[in-house]
Amino acid sequence: MHTQTLSPDTYLQALVFDAYGTLFDVHSVIRRCEELWPGRGQALSQLWRAKQLEYTWLRSLMQRYENFERITEDSLRHACAALKLACEPRHIAALMDEYLRLSTFPETQDALAALGDFKLAILSNGAPAMLQAVVGNAGLNTTIPTVLSVDSLAIYKPDPRVYQLVVDTLDVPPANIGFVSSNCWDACGAKSFGFTTFWVNRGGAPMDALGVTPDHIVQNLAGIPPLLKR
Amino acid sequence: MHTQTLSPDTYLQALVFDAYGTLFDVHSVIRRCEELWPGRGQALSQLWRAKQLEYTWLRSLMQRYENFERITEDSLRHACAALKLACEPRHIAALMDEYLRLSTFPETQDALAALGDFKLAILSNGAPAMLQAVVGNAGLNTTIPTVLSVDSLAIYKPDPRVYQLVVDTLDVPPANIGFVSSNCWDACGAKSFGFTTFWVNRGGAPMDALGVTPDHIVQNLAGIPPLLKR
């Protein structure tokens, strides 16, 4: 695991976070899946998440964008059909509602508090209404003043235009932006664009092979403030 | 399942096939995985295939193209690491070699023979050397005279530029091209571009939700000639 401190010439002004799985724990969605389809919750959650991402990439390449709320519902229906689970409107409503009130991880609040010197922002695939709700319900509105959705661009991560949105909105050059994601491919996409990147590898997954690698790997968000001591 | 015959105004001049899983059966690769890692072959094959596709989409969006041979090796290494399986150079060599000598499906040869009136082509993510080998080893060189790889474009399916390559090479308008794939997302990508599409749904998978749907669904390649009777 990389633990080197940032070189003195890497002066970060802003820290930008992915939302789902990075700041917010989707465990409650998985638990709810298990309640709705006992014994199949984990299989469903895994396939749902895989299809959700797949649809973001495919629709980006096909130039057929739909927002993340729609994609999340579509991928849930597909995953249920593939696993031959009945998927009624009440199931979808319950799970989409769960998405709006995700918990933060145990260390999220303290880590963000320790990073108060930086401009903080979220950059997420999430639809604006989904993001607004989950950030508000977690009480992060004032801690993270800038919440950016890909929706205005109608394209998903890791298209470089998504990362450019941060540069344009915060008015900070890429070299001075740190980007934090629990998805290795997202950290790689941000690194490829030019950010300094932190991969939050909670599960000890192997690195993806995408031509670039994250600058830092941490086990959870608490690993970031020590790397940024000035 | 759709079984309607093509409307009289849909006059196809060319039929274009995806390669892996559509004309060629990747079952032997799965069997070889099981030989190399007994008891883990199926899990490895599934993760390998998922990562292989994921890397094509991610690298396309990141504008960091590497050819399909490289991606196939990278995704194999990643899948082995994720499943904690030892992956030595001899394993990779054995599996990559298997890719060059895939069998066709039992109905492939007869179906292609029944479609002799059409211009026939392959459009594949595969690297040119991989495609040349597998087509040659299966004895399809003369049956399918045109073999197109995305490699010259440095982008993967379902980017529309990939399907445009067929139009430019065969000099046939999109409306007169039929496209056949066992991947629903590939058939959807081709449909989105403007082809008449045939989804070979061997496994009875549910339809993907990508904003367009294939024109025809068949259980295997033998279902296509009856749809094209003039």
Side-chain angles (χ1 to χ4, degrees), chain A residues 51 55 64 192 207-208, chain B residues 51 55 64 78 192 207-208:
Chain A
K51 273 284 160 186
Y55 285 180
R64 287 194 172 262
S192 179
M207 182 89 78
D208 276 315
Chain B
K51 274 283 160 185
Y55 285 179
R64 286 194 172 261
H78 186 280
S192 178
M207 183 89 79
D208 276 315

Side-chain angles (χ1 to χ4, degrees), chain B residues 26-196:
Chain B
V26 295
H27 181 80
S28 61
V29 176
I30 300 171
R31 195 177 53 222
R32 196 68 188 262
C33 283
E34 184 59 32
E35 285 170 16
L36 293 171
W37 294 280
R40 308 300 300 277
Q42 200 181 349
L44 177 64
S45 303
Q46 281 179 4
L47 185 59
W48 182 14
R49 173 62 174 168
K51 274 283 160 185
Q52 184 192 46
L53 289 175
E54 183 179 320
Y55 285 179
T56 64
W57 301 325
L58 288 169
R59 282 185 173 272
S60 293
L61 288 167
M62 290 168 67
Q63 301 166 11
R64 286 194 172 261
Y65 178 85
E66 292 285 348
N67 80 20
F68 199 65
E69 191 175 347
R70 164 77 181 275
I71 279 187
T72 302
E73 290 193 21
D74 283 349
S75 52
L76 173 59
R77 278 197 202 87
H78 186 280
C80 284
L83 297 176
K84 304 191 193 308
L85 303 174
C87 183
E88 295 164 24
R90 68 183 172 91
H91 295 136
I92 294 179
L95 287 165
M96 294 304 290
D97 186 64
E98 205 68 55
Y99 247 96
L100 306 181
R101 51 193 80 254
L102 299 173
S103 302
T104 52
F105 287 98
E107 83 283 7
T108 300
Q109 305 273 359
D110 285 353
L112 292 174
L115 298 169
D117 288 350
F118 297 90
K119 285 189 185 185
L120 299 183
I122 286 173
L123 175 68
S124 170
N125 275 343
M130 293 172 77
L131 288 173
Q132 200 179 355
V134 74
V135 170
N137 286 330
L140 290 181
N141 302 64
T142 52
T143 315
I144 306 184
T146 306
V147 179
L148 301 175
S149 164
V150 303
D151 192 58
S152 60
L153 304 168
I155 192 95
Y156 286 101
K157 297 176 179 180
D159 187 290
R161 284 168 284 182
V162 172
Y163 304 107
Q164 181 66 41
L165 181 63
V166 175
V167 176
D168 295 342
T169 308
L170 297 184
D171 198 22
V172 174
N176 303 116
I177 293 175
F179 183 81
V180 182
S181 180
S182 63
N183 296 296
C184 187
W185 60 267
D186 185 18
C188 291
K191 176 68 185 174
S192 178
F193 175 77
F195 292 161
T196 296

Side-chain angles (χ1 to χ4, degrees), chain A residues 103-161:
Chain A
S103 302
T104 52
F105 287 98
E107 83 283 7
T108 300
Q109 306 272 1
D110 285 353
L112 291 174
L115 298 169
D117 288 349
F118 297 89
K119 285 190 186 184
L120 300 183
I122 286 173
L123 175 69
S124 170
N125 276 344
M130 294 173 76
L131 289 173
Q132 202 180 355
V134 74
V135 170
N137 286 330
L140 290 180
N141 302 65
T142 52
T143 315
I144 306 185
T146 307
V147 179
L148 302 175
S149 165
V150 302
D151 193 58
S152 61
L153 304 169
I155 191 96
Y156 285 102
K157 298 175 178 179
D159 188 290
R161 284 169 284 182

Side-chain angles (χ1 to χ4, degrees), chain A residues 163-215:
Chain A
Y163 305 107
Q164 181 65 42
L165 180 64
V166 176
V167 176
D168 295 342
T169 308
L170 298 184
D171 197 22
V172 174
N176 302 118
I177 293 175
F179 183 81
V180 183
S181 180
S182 63
N183 296 297
C184 187
W185 60 267
D186 185 18
C188 291
K191 176 66 185 175
S192 179
F193 175 75
F195 291 161
T196 296
T197 52
F198 303 80
W199 175 28
V200 182
N201 185 14
R202 299 179 192 277
M207 182 89 78
D208 276 315
L210 293 168
V212 287
T213 53
D215 296 289

